[in-house]
């Protein structure tokens, strides 16, 4: 941009936006936004280009949607990077939300002068002057009053194209440093790639952007965007193909050790401020994935032809010779002994002829970059249909599992198991609930005063949840539901993903299967119960406490979704009565089937 002068392109964008229809919100002052934009447009030169109008209309709609979604999820801070003359802070001003507009002082000064002259209040906006080419963006934002413990949404619209790639990378990293759990970043890039026709169209368009007065400094290949985001600490969220093609991206914080806190870190960010963030890092981070093939080759002599990620840390390993394997790389926080325990359980299940995945090697556990690795045989099959037949089979298998009598003294089999892996790397339902209670406690400070009653409803529900720990124990799997079953051509199924299995209350494990069955209809509940009771007779105390066991995992999941910023508190709290009623109806039906 032209040093010392307000951004001409920002002025043009404001003029274009005047003609777009915008989504309405139950708060804010759209009229103030329009007054500002009209003031800017009156002095902005240039003719209107239809292609540009179409692009800017789509881009504006995209950023409006991301912003309104975030405001709905109760974020309390909006950061606008290269805010220009964007008037969203006026149009969508929401009580309790603070805006941080970060821009080059020349543009920002001009905008503030206009706001003052037009008598438009900007009390909800903190203006932060910065040149993105200089380091220190994170400090400047925090210096402007930004709270690094409160969730935010960051908008970076129409800015990246004017910055060189190294500057974009540094801006993205600094934004990650101030982003917290529940945060989102929306950014638009100028992208290349795609078919020759699309590529030519893009080039014509980029020439049009240059004609707005400022040179294009970066164009990113469409396919490289996720890598660019990941390398700067962000994880791209799935959005429509159309948006991706246009270079519009939504990301959430990725969970790697913070810069400056690990070996070789060069940043200035503090260590994780919250338990929730620590947990996200513990559960989600895997190191050294690029060298995993070499590790597998060196450890198992298995030539790797291809590695494909099936789930977080779970890889299908197509070998140069022989059938495919699965390599599970566990978080470093999960002790290697836990992976040894998984192997012990899988050995025992093979001995009992139980249809679980089988170990791929006599010595199936290794350590890669401090993380336990377990190799099993890849189970070729399909996802089960998920109807009555599937649930009867799963009920039958779960009953068989719970009827096994593991030998006393087998440490892997006796370890506490059955806790949900998103909150406990290895543990039982007691620990699962304790972590959920602690996350919810920490989230309290993010709850706006207007929602405190909802928060208390959720906290009470969690406090009275039944972990079933005093009920009969068995060998349990934490997720005995269709996504962890693979259907074989002969009609059988194999249960996979035994990490987190161990000794736990059988009712909690059965409860989650019944909950999943109930989501498909009461007929599936009958089927699951019919299969299960072939092997296990539940005690009266278990039958009485079935409601709580059916509702337990769903409650923890909902609570977690709120705590990590994926769901609104109001949506979770409002859904509790229906969830309770659903669990009650499923439990009543299952009780009948067990009688
Ligand atoms: C095309 S405008 C977009 C404005 C706004 N986001 C919108 O969509 O209406 C680009 C903005 O980036 C800012 N900008 C460009 N290069 C910058 C730099 N090196 N440092 C700070 N701001 C910069 C300009 O001041 C301008 O406000």
């Amino acid at each position: 941009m032209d040093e010392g002068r307000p951004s001409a392109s920002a002025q043009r964008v404001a003029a274009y936006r005047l003609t777009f229809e915008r989504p309405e919100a139950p708060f804010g002052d759209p009229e103030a936004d329009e007054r500002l934009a009209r003031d800017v447009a009156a002095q902005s030169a240039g003719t209107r280009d239809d292609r540009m109008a179409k692009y800017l209309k789509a881009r504006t709609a995209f950023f409006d949607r991301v912003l309104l979604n975030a405001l709905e999820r109760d974020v309390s801070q909006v950061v606008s990077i290269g805010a220009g003359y964007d008037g969203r802070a006026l149009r969508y001003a929401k009580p309790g939300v603070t805006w941080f507009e970060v821009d080059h002082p020349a543009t920002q000064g001009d905008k503030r002068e206009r706001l003052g002259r037009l008598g438009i209040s900007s009390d909800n906006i903190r203006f932060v002057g910065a040149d993105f080419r200089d380091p220190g963006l994170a400090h400047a934002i925090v210096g402007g009053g930004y709270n690094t413990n409160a969730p935010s949404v960051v908008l970076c619209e129409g800015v990246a194209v004017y910055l060189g790639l190294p500057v974009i990378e540094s801006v993205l990293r600094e934004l990650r440093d101030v982003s917290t759990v529940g945060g989102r970043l929306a950014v638009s890039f100028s992208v290349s790639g795609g078919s020759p026709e699309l590529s030519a169209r893009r080039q014509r368009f980029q020439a049009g952007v240059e004609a707005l007065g400022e040179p294009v400094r970066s164009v990113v290949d469409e396919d490289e965007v996720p890598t660019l985001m990941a390398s700067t600490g962000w994880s791209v969220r799935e959005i429509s193909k159309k948006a991706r093609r246009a270079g519009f991206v939504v990301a959430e914080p990725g969970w790697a050790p913070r810069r400056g806190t690990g070996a070789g870190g060069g940043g200035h960010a503090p260590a994780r401020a919250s338990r929730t963030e620590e947990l996200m890092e513990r559960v989600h981070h895997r190191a050294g994935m690029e060298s995993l093939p070499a590790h597998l080759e060196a450890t198992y002599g298995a030539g790797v032809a291809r590695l494909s990620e099936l789930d977080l840390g779970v890889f299908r390993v197509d070998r140069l010779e022989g059938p495919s394997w699965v390599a599970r790389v566990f978080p470093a926080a999960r002790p290697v002994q836990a992976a040894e325990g998984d192997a012990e359980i899988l050995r025992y299940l093979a001995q009992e002829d139980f249809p679980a995945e089988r170990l791929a090697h006599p010595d199936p556990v290794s350590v890669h970059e401090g993380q336990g690795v377990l190799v099993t045989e890849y189970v070729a099959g399909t996802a089960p249909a998920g109807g009555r037949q599937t649930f009867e089979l799963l009920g039958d298998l779960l009953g068989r599992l719970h009827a096994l009598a593991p030998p006393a003294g087998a440490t892997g089999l006796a370890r506490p198991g059955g806790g949900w892996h998103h909150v406990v790397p290895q543990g039982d339902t007691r620990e699962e609930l304790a972590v959920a209670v602690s996350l919810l406690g920490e989230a309290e400070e993010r709850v706006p005063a207007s929602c405190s009653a909802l928060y208390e409803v959720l906290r009470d529900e969690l406090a009275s949840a039944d972990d079933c720990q005093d009920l009969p124990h068995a060998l349990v799997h934490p997720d005995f539901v269709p996504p962890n079953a693979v259907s074989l051509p002969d009609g059988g199924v194999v249960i996979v993903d035994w990490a987190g299995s161990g000794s736990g209350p059988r009712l909690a494990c059965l409860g989650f299967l019944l909950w999943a069955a109930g989501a498909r209809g009461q007929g599936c509940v009958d089927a699951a119960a019919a299969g299960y009771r072939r092997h296990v007779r539940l005690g009266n105390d278990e039958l009485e406490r079935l409601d709580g066991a059916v509702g337990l995992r769903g409650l923890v999941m909902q609570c977690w979704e709120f705590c990590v910023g994926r769901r609104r508190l109001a949506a979770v709290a409002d859904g509790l009565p229906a969830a309770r009623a659903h669990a009650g109806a499923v439990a009543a039906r299952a009780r009948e089937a067990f009688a």
Side-chain angles (χ1 to χ4, degrees), residues 165-226:
L165 200 56
V167 177
I168 294 181
E169 286 172 337
S170 118
V171 166
L172 291 174
R173 278 200 195 96
E174 299 232 27
L175 292 175
R176 174 64 191 88
D177 282 345
V178 294
S179 174
T180 57
V181 71
R184 294 282 184 279
L185 164 69
V187 53
S188 61
F189 293 106
S190 183
V191 284
S192 60
S195 66
E197 188 208 334
L198 181 63
S199 185
R201 228 181 321 142
R202 279 173 166 160
Q203 272 169 17
R204 282 199 301 276
F205 177 70
Q206 275 144 16
V209 174
E210 291 216 38
L212 280 183
E214 282 150 16
V216 170
R217 291 220 160 79
S218 65
V219 177
V220 185
D221 189 285
E222 188 189 317
D223 296 334
E224 293 297 320
V225 169

Side-chain angles (χ1 to χ4, degrees), residues 1 7 9-10 13 17 59 82-84 86 103-104 107 130-133 157-159 162-163:
M1 56 182 293
S7 159
S9 58
V13 175
R17 261 199 208 113
R59 198 178 83 184
D86 176 12
D103 207 340
H104 198 280
T107 308
D131 188 323
F132 304 138
R133 291 166 295 188
E157 178 180 0
V159 181
Y162 301 112
L163 308 174

Side-chain angles (χ1 to χ4, degrees), residues 74-396:
D74 296 327
V75 302
S76 53
Q77 308 181 104
V78 182
V79 181
S80 180
I81 296 297
Y85 297 91
D86 176 12
R88 286 189 181 94
L90 312 170
R91 175 178 293 271
Y92 297 123
K94 184 180 172 190
V97 174
T98 306
W99 287 69
F100 297 85
E101 291 204 351
V102 192
D103 207 340
H104 198 280
T107 308
Q108 192 163 77
D110 182 53
K111 181 183 197 175
R112 294 184 75 173
E113 183 277 316
R114 288 171 194 267
L115 289 171
R117 179 164 42 76
L118 296 168
I120 298 174
S121 160
S122 54
D123 289 350
N124 61 333
I125 311 175
R126 307 276 171 279
F127 292 98
V128 178
D131 188 323
F132 304 138
R133 291 166 295 188
D134 300 333
L137 177 62
H139 274 120
I141 295 173
V142 173
Y146 178 89
N147 176 359
T148 50
N149 282 325
S152 62
V153 58
V154 182
L155 311 177
C156 185
E157 178 180 0
V159 181
V161 63
Y162 301 112
L163 308 174
L165 200 56
V167 177
I168 294 181
E169 286 172 337
S170 118
V171 166
L172 291 174
R173 278 200 195 96
E174 299 232 27
L175 292 175
R176 174 64 191 88
D177 282 345
V178 294
S179 174
T180 57
V181 71
R184 294 282 184 279
L185 164 69
V187 53
S188 61
F189 293 106
S190 183
V191 284
S192 60
S195 66
E197 188 208 334
L198 181 63
S199 185
R201 228 181 321 142
R202 279 173 166 160
Q203 272 169 17
R204 282 199 301 276
F205 177 70
Q206 275 144 16
V209 174
E210 291 216 38
L212 280 183
E214 282 150 16
V216 170
R217 291 220 160 79
S218 65
V219 177
V220 185
D221 189 285
E222 188 189 317
D223 296 334
E224 293 297 320
V225 169
T227 316
L228 168 66
M229 298 303 290
S231 71
T232 52
W234 293 95
S235 168
V236 171
R237 284 176 70 87
E238 278 302 317
I239 48 167
S240 74
K241 201 163 155 190
K242 211 167 149 198
R244 219 173 46 221
R245 285 240 163 114
F248 307 157
V249 176
V250 187
E252 58 187 345
W255 297 102
R258 281 205 169 185
R259 294 190 299 148
T261 60
H268 309 282
R272 295 254 175 260
S274 73
R275 285 192 299 273
T276 314
E277 295 188 320
E278 269 171 37
L279 177 86
M280 294 300 274
E281 182 184 318
R282 259 194 302 142
V283 172
H284 289 269
H285 181 60
R286 302 289 187 284
M289 289 306 92
E290 61 295 336
S291 53
L292 183 62
H295 167 79
L296 295 173
E297 292 194 15
T299 313
Y300 301 105
V304 175
R306 205 163 65 109
L307 212 60
S308 27
E309 191 164 18
L310 303 172
D311 198 352
L312 179 69
V314 182
F315 297 88
R316 173 179 171 162
V317 185
D318 292 320
R319 298 181 308 145
L320 291 173
E321 281 168 37
S324 301
W325 288 2
V326 168
R328 288 195 160 71
V329 183
F330 300 110
R334 186 170 190 253
V336 177
Q337 291 90 309
E340 300 280 6
D342 300 345
E344 193 178 337
I345 288 174
L346 290 178
R347 262 186 219 108
Y348 171 70
L349 293 172
Q351 204 181 302
E352 295 293 328
D353 208 20
F354 189 90
E357 57 195 330
R358 299 287 180 243
L359 296 172
H361 192 272
D363 207 357
V365 176
S366 57
V367 180
H368 177 54
E369 304 234 350
Q371 307 157 122
V373 178
L374 173 74
V375 290
T376 55
E377 291 172 356
Y378 176 74
V379 184
T382 53
R388 286 176 189 220
Q389 212 182 347
T390 301
F391 280 101
E392 182 166 349
L393 259 171
L394 289 183
D396 182 81

Side-chain angles (χ1 to χ4, degrees), residues 457-476:
V457 169
L458 181 57
R459 193 177 54 191
D460 291 349
E461 187 88 1
L462 206 57
S464 59
D466 184 357
D467 64 15
C468 304
Q469 282 295 329
D470 56 321
L471 293 172
H473 277 43
L475 177 54
V476 295

